[in-house]
Amino acid sequence: EVVLTQSPGTLSLSPGERATLSCRASQYVSSNYLAWYQQKPGQTPRLLIYGASSRATGIPDRFRGSGSETDFTLTISRLEPEDFAVYYCHQYGTFGPGTKVDIK
Amino acid sequence: QLVESGGGLAQPGGSLRLSCAASGFTFSSYAMGWVRQAPGKGLEWVAATSGSADDTYYADSVKGRFTMSRDSPKSTLFLEMNSLRAEDTAVYYCAKFTTYDILTEVDQWGQGTLVTVSS
C-alpha cells in the first residue's frame, strides 16, 4: 500500500504570502488519482484538486496542483484569510497526515 | 446530500451499524465509502465500494471486523462494525466519489456521526 508523507507538518505564513505544500508517495502514484483536500476546524473536507492539477468546481485559481510519479505539490499563490486550514493529499485508500497552514 | 446515522457509545467488543442516506444523485452510479477522523487527528479511509459494488477496499485496521454494504434501491450505504476497539473512536464520514471508481476522489461528504468506544 502506498504511504503518503506531507511536509511541512505546519506552515506559518501571513496573508498574501505564497504557500508551498509537499506530498511524497512511497511508490509511483498515477497523477490521475492524486487529490488535495482542505479542512477547516469543525468542517468536513473540501475537494480542491483532483488528477494532481485540475481544480474542483468553484476553487479559486490561486490554488495550483502539480507534480507526478512520487512528488506532488499544492501551491497557494497568495494566502487569503479563509485559506488557513489543514490540507490533505489523497490517493486510493490513503490520506497523507496533513499540513496545517496557520497565521504567522 | 449525505446524512449519516447510527453513531453513539459502544463498549469494547461491541457492535454498531452506521447508515448513510443519499439523495440528489443516482446512487448506483457512484462509488461510496466511509472515512473516519479521530479527535484531533487526520483523515483515515475505512472502506470504499465501487458503484456496482464489485470493487471494495477495506483498511487493514478494520478488515474482518467491519463490513460495508449498499442498498441501491434505497440509496443507502451501511457500515456494520463489530469487535469494536477504543481506537475505533472517531467521527465517521460518509463519502461520495466523483465517479463509479474507488480510485477517484471524493466530492461530497456527510456531516459525520460520532462513534465512541468506551466501557
Side-chain angles (χ1 to χ4, degrees), chain A residues 9-47:
Chain A
T10 301
L11 197 52
S12 296
L13 295 168
S14 300
E17 290 193 295
R18 180 187 189 92
T20 303
L21 288 65
S22 173
C23 175
R24 180 160 289 178
S26 60
Q27 57 188 275
Y28 170 84
V29 167
S30 169
S31 297
N32 292 334
Y33 304 126
L34 193 288
W36 290 91
Y37 300 85
Q38 175 195 67
Q39 188 179 32
K40 299 178 184 179
Q43 296 187 17
T44 60
R46 178 173 73 146
L47 177 65

Side-chain angles (χ1 to χ4, degrees), chain A residues 1 32-35 37 39 42-47 49-51 88 90-97, chain B residues 35 37 41-45 55-57 60 93 97-98 101-107 109-112:
Chain A
E1 188 171 295
N32 292 334
Y33 304 126
L34 193 288
Y37 300 85
Q39 188 179 32
Q43 296 187 17
T44 60
R46 178 173 73 146
L47 177 65
I49 300 289
Y50 65 95
Y88 296 94
H90 164 241
Q91 188 270 344
Y92 171 71
T94 187
F95 289 97
Chain B
V35 175
Q37 188 167 35
K41 302 297 184 182
L43 302 171
E44 181 190 16
W45 269 109
D55 192 9
T56 304
Y57 165 86
D60 287 344
Y93 295 105
F97 288 75
T98 55
D101 187 352
I102 62 175
L103 286 174
T104 57
E105 55 285 330
V106 172
D107 65 349
W109 304 76
Q111 284 304 303

Side-chain angles (χ1 to χ4, degrees), chain B residues 18-52:
Chain B
L18 305 185
S19 300
C20 170
S23 61
F25 61 95
T26 304
F27 184 73
S28 58
S29 295
Y30 294 91
M32 299 290 296
W34 295 92
V35 175
R36 68 184 180 185
Q37 188 167 35
K41 302 297 184 182
L43 302 171
E44 181 190 16
W45 269 109
V46 174
T49 178
S50 62
S52 55

